[in-house]
């Protein structure tokens, strides 16, 4: 069974290109590449759309590139998949790759989430999984000095509980 990669996708374009894409999206034309699990209200702004999708193992990068090219759209995709230890973000403009960032899962979540959300969803839950202070801190080698100090304090508070 494949791991699910969670994708947060934003699409922008002309009304005509967006209408065609939206129609194909709701008809599940891309069901072999990803499954839509949430979609914004397209009627509010016919030039943009946001949706969440699940794909197998990794983001549906090639499919999104083809969609971007075929409908002359700008597409941005932020993704994460803990099992494959990946998180990243990429974007296409009319099929051309304009940026591509990829990190390990935790570092990607750190870059793409607000610090308080990252603490709540990623750092604090790992306190009980760590056998030592060094093991805990090694997971977060990418944080800045201020955030490092905050993690040290959180760890110390947890130990005294």
């Amino acid at each position: 069974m494949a791991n699910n990669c969670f994708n947060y996708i934003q699409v922008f374009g002309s009304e005509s290109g967006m209408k065609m894409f939206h129609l194909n999206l709701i008809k599940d034309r891309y069901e072999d590449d990803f499954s839509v699990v949430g979609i914004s209200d397209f009627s509010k702004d016919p030039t943009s759309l946001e949706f969440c999708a699940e794909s197998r193992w990794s983001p549906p990068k090639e499919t999104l590139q083809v969609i971007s090219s075929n409908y002359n759209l700008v597409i941005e995709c932020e993704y994460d998949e803990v099992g494959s230890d990946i998180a990243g973000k990429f974007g296409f403009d009319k099929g051309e790759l304009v940026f591509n960032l990829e990190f390990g899962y935790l570092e990607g979540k750190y870059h793409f989430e607000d610090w308080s959300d990252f603490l709540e969803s990623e750092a604090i839950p790992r306190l009980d999984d760590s056998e030592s202070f060094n093991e805990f801190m090694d997971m977060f080698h990418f944080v800045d000095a201020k955030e490092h100090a905050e993690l040290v304090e959180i760890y110390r508070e947890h130990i005294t509980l």
Side-chain angles (χ1 to χ4, degrees):
M1 184 169 141
N3 291 344
N4 286 336
C5 180
F6 300 98
N7 305 276
Y8 315 96
I9 302 168
Q10 295 179 303
V11 184
F12 308 94
S14 68
E15 282 190 45
S16 60
M18 290 295 294
K19 281 182 185 179
M20 291 300 296
F21 168 65
H22 183 255
L23 181 62
N24 284 321
L25 185 67
I26 60 175
K27 287 183 175 182
D28 284 333
R29 295 274 163 89
Y30 309 107
E31 65 187 334
D32 290 340
D33 300 303
F34 58 82
S35 300
V36 175
V37 292
I39 191 167
S40 65
D41 185 356
F42 185 61
S43 65
K44 289 184 180 178
D45 181 0
T47 62
S48 70
L49 184 66
E50 293 182 14
F51 64 98
C52 296
E54 293 180 2
S55 55
R56 294 180 189 101
W57 305 111
S58 60
K61 197 171 194 175
E62 293 81 17
T63 300
L64 293 176
Q65 184 174 22
V66 169
I67 292 168
S68 174
S69 179
N70 288 349
Y71 300 106
N72 292 318
L73 302 173
V74 172
I75 298 178
E76 293 183 5
C77 177
E78 183 177 320
Y79 61 92
D80 58 75
E81 203 286 277
V82 69
S84 295
D85 189 32
I86 58 170
K89 191 172 188 178
F90 59 84
F92 295 106
D93 185 352
K94 299 178 181 113
E96 295 295 319
L97 183 67
V98 290
F99 68 92
N100 184 31
L101 305 167
E102 188 164 288
F103 304 95
Y105 177 81
L106 273 179
E107 188 172 1
K109 296 297 276 186
Y110 167 76
H111 286 291
F112 302 128
E113 285 188 356
D114 179 69
W115 175 245
S116 60
D117 292 339
F118 178 79
L119 283 175
E120 189 71 30
S121 67
E122 303 300 336
I124 293 172
R126 286 173 168 71
L127 285 165
D128 291 328
D129 297 336
S130 302
E131 294 187 21
S132 70
F133 172 76
N134 287 338
E135 182 181 332
F136 178 72
M137 295 307 294
D138 284 349
M139 284 189 267
F140 305 101
H141 60 89
F142 43 80
V143 301
D144 69 25
K146 180 182 174 194
E147 293 159 344
H148 183 273
E150 191 171 348
L151 286 171
V152 169
E153 185 61 31
I154 288 169
Y155 186 86
R156 286 182 179 150
E157 287 175 8
H158 180 74
I159 294 302
T160 60
L161 294 178

